[in-house]
């Protein structure tokens, strides 16, 4: 069998960003309004700082109005809630993203529930979760990472995923559950596997589509993959790389990439697969949120 096609997430993300930039410019032209994104970071977590900086930069590059709020790690919960409340009322802000995780003294779900559902560009508010679950995806804001995975799958397999068997490994609210719901809406036969799943290799071997969102380096082995399956690797794991020099590290996914290559039909690399799609879909959600708040019709969906 020929080796897997490698899915170029960077290139797809770039094409999505270009489309969003075009659409945002058309909105400015028609209504004089720039989509507005506010990103809130509490604390100094280095990974979160990088994510927030990238989100801010990408928003600016897409022609958005972008605002970054950086708060000290010991900011009281009431101050964070007050900021979210202010952003909820601000007509120049159409999307609010509170970078997770929040410091331990802040109740994450309290903060996420305060964000107006129509400004909830992460798609984590129970209203958006509910809309996705009841099959009203097109009225929801869908979490960015699973939305990005679906774009990659559709661009790889064509628009019609109906009847394919899909296994999602991981049941988090951020990735696994919304991914499973999206695939269900595409009429896939969906299995959600998790840490208590018995005989995971046998479950994965049934799948035409595998989405791995676990956070365990190279857990999914090559011989678990059904010949020709599409493999979407969401995991981002940093592991020691002594071959690159003392103390060096490298990023790997949840799938043993080299091992999977001869089995899979298509596979995302890490880095350069799902990662770039997450930010691109955040831009798409912000534009969607802005158009809805302005009472404008929906545009052609990206997935
Ligand atoms: P999480 O820790 O919230 O959830 C992990 C899930 O994996 C859990 O549901 C758990 O049941 C399951 N799991 C744990 N051990 C398992 C095992 N041995 N077998 C089967 N399932 C097992 O993580 P998350 O937030 O969903 O993120 C998962 C991974 O995706 C992480 O590596 C994270 O860094 C990455 N991630 C990447 C992006 C991106 O933009 N590419 C975005 C979000 C998360």
């Amino acid at each position: 069998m020929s080796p897997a096609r490698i899915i170029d997430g960077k290139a797809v993300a770039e094409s999505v960003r270009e489309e969003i930039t075009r659409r945002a410019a058309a909105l400015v032209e028609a209504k004089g309004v720039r989509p507005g994104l506010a990103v809130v970071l509490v604390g100094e977590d280095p990974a979160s700082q990088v994510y927030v900086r990238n989100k801010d930069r990408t928003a600016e590059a897409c022609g958005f109005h972008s605002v970054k709020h950086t708060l000290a790690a010991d900011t009281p919960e009431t101050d964070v809630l007050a900021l979210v409340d202010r952003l909820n009322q601000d007509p120049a802000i159409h999307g609010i993203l509170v970078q997770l995780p929040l410091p331990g003294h802040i109740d994450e779900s309290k903060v996420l529930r305060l964000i107006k559902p129509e400004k909830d560009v992460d798609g984590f508010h129970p209203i958006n979760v509910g809309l996705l679950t009841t099959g009203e995806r097109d009225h929801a804001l869908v979490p960015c990472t699973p939305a990005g995975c679906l774009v990659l799958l559709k661009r790889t397999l064509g628009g019609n995923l109906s009847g394919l068997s899909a296994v999602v490994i991981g049941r988090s609210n951020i990735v696994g559950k919304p991914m499973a719901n999206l695939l269900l809406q595409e009429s896939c036969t969906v299995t959600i596997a998790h840490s208590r799943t018995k005989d995971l290799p046998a479950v994965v071997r049934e799948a035409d589509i595998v989405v791995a969102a676990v956070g365990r380096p190279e857990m999914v082995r090559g011989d678990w993959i059904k010949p020709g399956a599409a493999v979407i690797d969401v995991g981002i794991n940093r592991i020691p790389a002594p071959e690159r020099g003392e103390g060096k590290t490298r990023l790997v996914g949840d799938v043993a990439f080299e091992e999977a290559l001869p089995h899979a039909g298509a596979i995302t690399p890490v880095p350069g697969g799902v990662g770039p799609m997450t930010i691109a879909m955040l831009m798409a959600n912000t534009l969607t949120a802005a158009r809805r708040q302005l009472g404008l019709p929906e545009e052609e969906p990206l997935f």
Side-chain angles (χ1 to χ4, degrees):
M1 217 177 130
S2 54
R5 172 180 158 198
I6 294 171
I7 302 169
D8 187 346
K10 266 195 202 159
V12 178
E14 196 180 318
S15 79
V16 169
R17 282 196 310 269
E18 279 169 6
E19 178 62 25
I20 298 303
T21 305
R22 243 191 322 273
R23 291 181 184 186
L27 180 64
V28 173
E29 178 86 18
K31 296 282 165 191
V33 178
R34 283 200 293 160
L37 174 66
V39 181
V40 178
L41 172 65
V42 188
E44 284 96 40
D45 177 62
S48 293
Q49 283 175 334
V50 173
Y51 292 143
V52 166
R53 202 165 43 239
N54 286 341
K55 287 168 187 174
D56 187 42
R57 276 191 197 148
T58 309
E60 296 222 334
C62 289
F64 290 10
H65 167 57
S66 175
V67 185
K68 196 169 76 179
H69 292 270
T70 308
L71 308 179
D74 61 355
T75 304
E77 184 185 271
T78 46
D79 289 10
V80 178
L81 294 171
L83 173 60
V84 169
D85 202 33
R86 267 204 319 281
L87 295 169
N88 274 340
Q89 310 308 325
D90 185 343
I93 297 300
H94 306 102
I96 304 170
L97 182 146
V98 177
Q99 184 66 42
L100 302 180
L102 288 168
H105 66 282
I106 299 175
D107 181 346
E108 243 169 47
S109 77
K110 203 166 163 185
V111 175
L112 295 182
R113 276 164 199 251
L114 185 66
I115 299 172
K116 275 189 185 172
E118 60 268 33
K119 293 194 177 188
D120 167 40
V121 283
D122 249 343
F124 297 156
H125 190 286
I127 293 276
N128 283 314
V129 176
L131 285 168
L132 175 60
T133 311
T134 53
E136 292 178 81
R137 185 190 90 178
D138 295 343
H139 299 287
L141 289 165
V142 177
C144 305
T145 301
C149 293
L150 188 56
V151 171
L152 292 179
L153 280 168
K154 287 197 155 183
R155 300 233 177 153
T156 304
L157 299 175
N160 185 8
L161 308 182
S162 177
L164 295 178
S165 85
V167 170
V168 178
I169 317 173
R171 56 174 158 181
S172 72
N173 292 330
I174 294 175
V175 190
K177 281 186 205 151
M179 187 74 242
N181 271 315
L182 283 172
L183 290 167
L184 193 57
Q185 271 193 43
E186 297 295 327
S187 298
C188 293
T189 303
V190 182
T191 303
I192 306 177
H194 48 76
S195 53
R196 305 290 176 91
T197 297
K198 290 190 178 132
D199 199 356
L200 184 61
V203 173
V204 173
R205 276 188 196 111
E206 297 295 315
D208 303 309
I209 294 171
V210 181
V211 181
V214 183
R216 287 177 171 249
E218 301 178 326
M219 185 191 81
V220 177
R221 309 312 309 184
D223 64 358
W224 299 11
I225 305 296
K226 178 176 169 178
V231 179
I232 305 291
D233 192 349
V234 183
I236 302 176
N237 310 288
R238 193 164 281 287
I239 62 164
E243 72 280 5
R244 293 185 178 181
E246 206 189 308
K248 297 280 185 204
T249 60
R250 66 189 175 100
L251 291 180
V252 296
D254 290 342
V255 180
F257 183 78
E258 294 295 333
E259 259 183 49
L261 276 179
H263 300 272
I267 184 167
T268 58
V270 177
V274 174
M277 290 304 294
T278 297
I279 295 188
M281 299 315 289
L282 173 65
M283 301 304 130
N285 274 353
T286 305
L287 179 63
T288 300
R291 290 186 64 88
R292 287 181 188 163
Q293 283 159 58
L294 294 165
L296 297 170
E298 298 284 326
E299 290 178 300
E300 177 79 17
L302 295 163
F303 57 90

